[in-house]
């Protein structure tokens, strides 16, 4: 499915139920002007849109026997010029994270549903119905105690929403234990993850002999994200250290 939509698969981990694409330019941002229509694909290949996207697909065994739940989350980067005055030009830039785009997530989710046999209009309607409102608040245990996120939802829904939030935020979920409400995660800085994709002009676009640096995630800090039931049909989310101690 992702290859059919023009993406390269970077992570394919059946044991963890994770599939993630590599960063790809948002080619839909290329202006449809007379130059593009005249030169066609040649100008498309040379044009940099300044936006990149990647998507993560996560699969879990569903709450019903024999079912699978599929989640699609988006992460984005945008190129910003650096420096000031005359120095602020196209040769000085950096990539910074941009907010996840729920509309892109919904679009690819509906496309996947169609690919799996659901009618187009029904898929779009089902995706639109599945968008929950934001109902969360940050709470703290005492004046200086560790903080937690309180969700006005039961455990099952909170577990799903936390998983989606982790995917959007750049965390790599190495393992999960739903019975204990634990996600075991490591965090990858988006700027580090995208460092090999920085635009350096036309020659760098043609440097097909170069290999992208590989990030060793085992050297990154590990955390536990705990989801537990709270009072009144609510849930609580805490961030713990690798050893299970509260992180303030």
């Amino acid at each position: 499915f992702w290859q059919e939509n023009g993406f390269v698969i970077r992570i394919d981990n059946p044991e963890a139920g994770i599939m993630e694409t590599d960063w790809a330019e948002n080619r839909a941002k290329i202006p449809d002007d007379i130059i593009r229509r005249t030169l066609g694909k040649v100008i498309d290949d040379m044009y940099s849109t300044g936006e990149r996207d990647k998507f993560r697909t996560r699969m879990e065994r569903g709450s019903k026997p024999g079912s699978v739940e599929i989640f699609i989350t988006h992460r984005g980067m945008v190129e910003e010029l650096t420096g000031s005055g005359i120095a602020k030009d196209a040769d000085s830039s950096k990539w910074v994270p941009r907010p996840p785009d729920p509309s892109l997530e919904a679009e690819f989710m509906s496309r996947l549903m169609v690919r799996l046999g659901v009618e187009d209009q029904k898929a779009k309607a089902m995706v639109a119905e599945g968008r929950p409102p934001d109902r969360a608040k940050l709470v703290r245990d005492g004046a200086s105690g560790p903080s937690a996120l309180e969700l006005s939802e039961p455990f099952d829904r909170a577990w799903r929403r936390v998983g989606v939030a982790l995917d959007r935020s750049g965390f790599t979920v190495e393992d999960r234990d739903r019975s204990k409400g634990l996600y075991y995660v490591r965090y990858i800085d988006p700027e580090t993850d995208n460092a090999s994709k920085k635009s350096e002009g036309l020659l760098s676009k043609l440097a097909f002999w170069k290999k992208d640096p590989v990030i060793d995630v085992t050297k990154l800090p590990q955390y536990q994200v705990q989801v537990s039931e709270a009072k009144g049909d609510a849930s609580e989310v805490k961030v713990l250290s690798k050893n299970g101690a509260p992180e303030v």
Side-chain angles (χ1 to χ4, degrees), residues 43-212:
I43 194 68
D44 280 3
D45 291 340
M46 297 174 61
Y47 200 104
S48 178
T49 63
E51 288 189 6
R52 291 197 170 110
D53 303 296
K54 71 187 307 181
F55 294 87
R56 177 177 294 178
T57 310
R58 180 165 52 84
M59 287 152 278
E60 292 189 7
R61 291 183 176 86
S63 54
K64 297 180 180 179
S67 66
V68 176
E69 297 177 352
I70 302 177
F71 306 84
I72 292 179
T73 49
H74 164 258
R75 291 173 60 200
M77 300 285 285
V78 61
E79 188 176 22
E80 289 187 354
L81 300 182
T82 58
S84 59
I86 299 177
K88 193 171 184 179
D89 54 35
D91 292 329
S92 179
S93 64
K94 66 177 182 178
W95 290 92
V96 297
R98 78 178 198 271
D101 190 337
S103 65
L104 283 176
E105 295 170 346
E107 172 65 23
F108 279 102
M109 178 61 77
S110 63
R111 289 187 191 183
L112 178 59
M113 293 172 70
V114 171
R115 180 70 172 76
L116 297 176
V118 180
E119 294 183 1
D120 184 39
Q121 293 301 320
K122 184 178 180 180
K124 292 180 179 178
M126 292 173 66
V127 169
E129 291 175 0
R131 299 175 188 170
D134 291 331
R135 293 181 294 176
K137 64 179 180 180
L138 194 64
V139 296
R140 184 174 288 276
D141 186 9
S144 59
S147 57
L149 190 65
E150 187 177 284
L151 304 179
S152 302
E153 292 183 329
F155 174 82
D156 285 348
R157 291 185 181 179
W159 175 262
R160 297 187 186 98
R161 292 189 65 186
V162 169
V164 170
L166 289 172
D167 291 340
R168 283 176 172 171
S169 303
F171 284 89
T172 295
V173 179
E174 296 188 316
D175 199 0
R176 63 180 67 84
D177 188 338
R178 185 164 178 161
S179 63
K180 296 181 180 179
L182 289 175
Y183 285 97
Y184 300 91
V185 304
R186 295 182 194 268
Y187 180 69
I188 299 179
D189 190 315
E191 291 192 34
T192 302
D193 191 23
N194 193 51
S196 64
K197 305 299 179 182
K198 184 175 180 180
S199 176
E200 298 174 345
L202 178 58
L203 287 179
S204 67
K205 291 178 179 293
L206 300 177
F208 51 84
W209 60 88
K210 290 184 178 180
K211 291 185 178 181
D212 293 339

Side-chain angles (χ1 to χ4, degrees), residues 10-60:
R10 183 177 183 183
I11 297 175
D12 186 1
N13 189 335
E15 290 78 13
I18 296 292
M19 184 179 293
E20 185 172 286
T21 72
D22 204 346
W23 290 102
E25 272 195 298
N26 189 339
R27 308 305 290 175
K29 295 287 186 178
I30 298 177
D32 186 18
D33 54 22
I34 188 171
I35 297 177
R36 183 188 181 193
R37 290 193 296 271
T38 302
L39 297 180
K41 191 175 185 303
V42 175
I43 194 68
D44 280 3
D45 291 340
M46 297 174 61
Y47 200 104
S48 178
T49 63
E51 288 189 6
R52 291 197 170 110
D53 303 296
K54 71 187 307 181
F55 294 87
R56 177 177 294 178
T57 310
R58 180 165 52 84
M59 287 152 278
E60 292 189 7

